[in-house]
Amino acid sequence: MRIVVLPGDGIGPEIAAATSNVLRAASERFQLNVQTEEHAVGHASLEQFGSTVRRDSWKSCGPRTG
């Protein structure tokens, strides 16, 4: 299972980090094979890439094809 993490602004990065830790622990404990993929959004993305949500980040949230 693949879960895309978009931390956002405000307390988002802290909440996303804590949630990712819980997901990893649950995945290991129950052999769920959860894989997280994190993308910068919001202010962090704006500073780094010039856009609050990049097309690549948006596309990663959809179903994988091929």
Side-chain angles (χ1 to χ4, degrees), residues 2 9 11 13 15-16 22 24 30 36-37 39 42-43 46 48 53 55 57-59 61-62 64 66:
R2 181 182 63 89
D9 296 322
I11 65 168
I15 297 299
V22 170
R24 274 192 291 280
F30 299 107
T36 59
E37 177 181 330
H39 292 266
H43 193 264
L46 183 62
Q48 191 173 4
V53 179
R55 183 172 302 212
S57 298
W58 186 252
K59 284 183 176 182
C61 295
R64 296 281 172 143

Side-chain angles (χ1 to χ4, degrees), residues 1 5 21 33 36:
M1 177 185 323
V5 179
N21 288 338
N33 194 29
T36 59

Side-chain angles (χ1 to χ4, degrees), residues 3-52:
I3 298 176
V4 177
V5 179
L6 305 171
D9 296 322
I11 65 168
E14 291 84 4
I15 297 299
T19 302
S20 293
N21 288 338
V22 170
L23 285 171
R24 274 192 291 280
S27 181
E28 289 176 17
R29 171 69 174 93
F30 299 107
Q31 300 174 347
L32 301 175
N33 194 29
V34 173
Q35 299 168 1
T36 59
E37 177 181 330
E38 186 171 316
H39 292 266
V41 295
H43 193 264
S45 179
L46 183 62
E47 285 185 334
Q48 191 173 4
F49 303 109
S51 173
T52 55

